[in-house]
Amino acid sequence: MKPPKTTKKSVEILIAEDSPTQAEQLRHLLEQVGYQVTVAATGKQALTVVHTRRPALIVSDVVMPEMDGYALCKAIKTDGKLKEIPIVLLTSLSSAQDVMKGLECGADNFIRKPYDEKYLLARIDHILINQELRKDQKVHMGVEIYLGGQKYFITAERQQMLDLLFSIYEEVGHINKRLEETNKELESFSYSVSHDLRAPLRAIDGFSSSLLQDYAEQLDDTGLDYLQRIRSATQRMGQLIEDLLNLSRVTRAEMRHETLSLSTLADRVVSDIRKAHADRKVDVTIEKEMKVMGDARLLQIVLENLLGNAWKFTSKSPKAAIQVGSTHQNGETVYFVKDNGAGFDMVYAQKLFGAFQRLHTEKEYPGTGIGLATVRRIIHRHGGRIWAEGEVGKGATFYFTL
Ligand SMILES: Nc1ncnc2c1ncn2[C@@H]1O[C@H](COP(=O)(O)OP(=O)(O)OP(=O)(O)O)[C@@H](O)[C@H]1O
Ligand SMILES: [Mg+2]
């Protein structure tokens, strides 16, 4: 924490917060950097304070008894003598209605709860500095806005709206950054875990195989059977780990964007699948000249998985058919891989893309359930979306944008 700045000594901040613990926490934070702090436990109390000793800024909770944060804000912003005092609302900002109410009551800034301490301090600094700048720019606007069946009348000043807009934007950026960091941590965690799991697994596999080779005569049939089971379970686990590692590699790999033909890529993938399954007869049609921008290696993984699935889930269809093509929806190109195989229940359409989520049994259709999770990550990395449609017994279609 920074040492108290002498310049802030005369700057008074009023906290309106009904939870004593949260109020104290905030007081401590602000006092540490040198602000003078007054705490009010309700909106009404805060209003009394404001009338007696005009603070430089108010940080207010939204949910409070008697007079909530919005009402407090409105009362101050409609009072000619007080309205210059900036107000920061601590809120969950969870809906557009929240934003509307904030605009309507004239709040200068929103900060999400639970807040990041550094961020809160930076916002307060920013508001206090900008307050000087905005003094001469009072352009009043009045607009009626309907949202969710309710009417709001917004008279916020232009600068106030901009501030609010930026505070929302910054919040989103802040949240995104945190999400990204968390994601990265998880990625590297799962990478090292999977990586480290391989060594002991190799030992189990190696020793059980030595047991089978060198001590087979000393074991009866049941013993041998157990040993076989240990080996196949180890191998399956090895496969799961391998898949997990591949999944995290996909997310960590550098992207290289280039113009390429999805059609050519699909042709190549299909011919590889055909080679590996010469026994199957599948009618595959691929639309020509589908040009896209993307990473060739990653998009190949997408097609390998989608076409591999289509191939696998049509294995019980009498006349298996797979189609790769594109359509236009709302001005964007949507690519699809369609099959007439086992299909799935639409209720689970979202679940399919989670790691290890499978709707079919391992016995019926083998697999580990990591393919679509990988595909979704790649599509997201390209800035696209992916979704699926299907019907049990009638086939499935996987759509994606890039
Ligand atoms: N074309 C399809 N038709 C019907 N169901 C599908 C199709 N593609 C995927 N699914 C369903 O989604 C599940 C998840 O697919 P995913 O590709 O992630 O895993 P998998 O194919 O079972 O295993 P893996 O791809 O890891 O070898 C599948 O188990 C299946 O239940
Ligand atoms: Mg698959």
Side-chain angles (χ1 to χ4, degrees):
M1 199 57 67
K2 277 185 275 178
K5 276 189 193 159
T6 42
T7 47
K8 285 179 179 169
K9 276 245 159 70
S10 54
V11 180
E12 183 172 343
I13 294 182
L14 170 64
I15 299 172
E17 166 69 77
D18 62 327
S19 145
T21 336
Q22 292 193 25
E24 270 321 297
Q25 199 182 352
L26 196 51
R27 177 211 286 278
H28 183 68
L29 174 71
L30 294 173
E31 281 181 351
Q32 253 189 336
V33 292
Y35 290 112
Q36 268 197 24
V37 179
T38 314
V39 173
T42 67
K44 276 228 170 96
Q45 244 186 53
L47 206 54
T48 320
V49 175
V50 174
H51 277 290
T52 50
R53 43 187 308 177
R54 190 188 174 90
L57 180 140
I58 302 170
V59 180
S60 174
D61 188 15
V62 165
V63 189
M64 289 184 292
E66 284 181 66
M67 179 185 241
D68 70 5
Y70 294 126
L72 170 67
C73 193
K74 209 167 198 166
I76 291 172
K77 293 295 178 186
T78 49
D79 185 322
K81 287 203 218 76
L82 304 175
K83 66 180 188 156
E84 303 297 331
I85 306 173
I87 303 181
V88 176
L89 285 181
L90 294 178
T91 160
S92 62
L93 252 196
S94 45
S95 68
Q97 266 89 353
D98 281 354
V99 176
M100 245 354 139
K101 277 193 195 148
L103 271 173
E104 198 182 36
C105 75
D108 298 80
N109 234 277
F110 277 129
I111 288 177
R112 271 174 73 91
K113 260 182 157 181
Y115 52 82
D116 178 286
E117 298 194 337
K118 269 201 205 128
Y119 178 71
L120 179 79
L121 291 175
R123 287 314 303 168
I124 289 177
D125 253 2
H126 170 92
I127 295 166
L128 289 173
I129 293 166
N130 275 287
Q131 202 197 2
E132 281 305 306
L133 297 175
R134 68 150 73 163
K135 268 193 176 136
D136 321 313
Q137 308 169 6
K138 301 266 140 58
V139 186
H140 280 274
M141 295 199 277
V143 264
E144 272 184 2
I145 293 176
Y146 283 90
L147 186 79
Q150 243 201 300
K151 188 165 88 178
Y152 297 86
F153 190 63
I154 312 290
T155 54
E157 286 153 17
R158 196 165 53 180
Q159 188 59 43
Q160 211 167 41
M161 287 201 175
L162 278 178
D163 270 1
L164 203 61
L165 200 65
F166 279 120
S167 79
I168 294 167
Y169 182 76
E170 279 202 8
E171 268 291 333
V172 172
H174 190 65
I175 294 167
N176 274 344
K177 205 168 142 241
R178 282 244 293 274
L179 268 177
E180 232 169 70
E181 283 163 8
T182 317
N183 247 342
K184 274 210 184 109
E185 268 169 38
L186 267 177
E187 291 301 341
S188 70
F189 176 73
S190 81
Y191 185 84
S192 44
V193 167
S194 347
H195 193 264
D196 296 352
L197 281 176
R198 284 203 296 199
L201 201 63
R202 253 196 305 266
I204 300 176
D205 193 41
F207 282 113
S208 48
S209 132
S210 310
L211 257 183
L212 266 180
Q213 270 174 20
D214 306 340
Y215 295 86
E217 295 101 62
Q218 275 140 283
L219 289 169
D220 62 8
D221 285 352
T222 320
L224 284 174
D225 178 47
Y226 287 168
L227 213 46
Q228 278 299 354
R229 287 185 198 212
I230 292 175
R231 291 215 63 206
S232 59
T234 339
Q235 270 151 19
R236 172 130 180 92
M237 187 160 166
Q239 186 60 51
L240 287 172
I241 292 174
E242 201 54 46
D243 286 348
L244 264 183
L245 279 171
N246 283 335
L247 177 64
S248 65
R249 274 189 202 115
V250 157
T251 336
R252 293 145 66 99
E254 284 267 333
M255 292 259 291
R256 258 178 309 166
H257 279 280
E258 55 184 312
T259 311
L260 55 98
S261 162
L262 207 60
S263 314
T264 315
L265 214 51
D267 279 333
R268 217 182 303 148
V269 170
V270 169
S271 87
D272 282 350
I273 300 179
R274 277 198 201 282
K275 263 187 225 141
H277 302 265
D279 52 317
R280 295 261 327 264
K281 259 209 161 71
V282 180
D283 174 29
V284 183
T285 50
I286 299 170
E287 187 182 312
K288 297 238 169 332
E289 315 246 343
M290 289 188 287
K291 290 263 181 289
V292 299
M293 265 288 275
D295 182 300
R297 200 182 54 85
L298 292 179
L299 289 180
Q300 172 156 345
I301 297 177
V302 165
L303 290 177
E304 279 168 1
N305 275 293
L306 294 180
L307 286 162
N309 281 347
W311 194 272
K312 173 165 63 182
F313 291 101
T314 50
S315 62
K316 295 186 172 55
S317 309
K319 271 191 156 179
I322 299 173
Q323 189 194 349
V324 184
S326 66
T327 59
H328 285 277
Q329 277 179 20
N330 305 323
E332 73 183 329
T333 312
V334 176
Y335 304 94
F336 65 84
V337 176
K338 184 184 171 81
D339 68 65
N340 63 349
F344 60 87
D345 188 337
M346 274 304 273
V347 174
Y348 308 111
Q350 269 305 312
K351 241 179 120 178
L352 301 181
F353 299 99
F356 302 126
Q357 299 283 355
R358 310 195 69 232
L359 301 181
H360 299 84
T361 61
E362 166 74 22
K363 220 179 193 167
E364 257 188 313
Y365 301 96
T368 48
I370 208 86
L372 287 177
T374 312
V375 169
R376 182 167 68 174
R377 288 204 190 182
I378 295 176
I379 298 294
H380 284 178
R381 284 198 72 185
H382 280 79
R385 291 168 290 122
I386 179 159
W387 65 98
E389 281 171 12
E391 199 183 329
V392 176
K394 297 214 167 140
T397 310
F398 286 80
Y399 297 93
F400 63 92
T401 62
L402 286 171

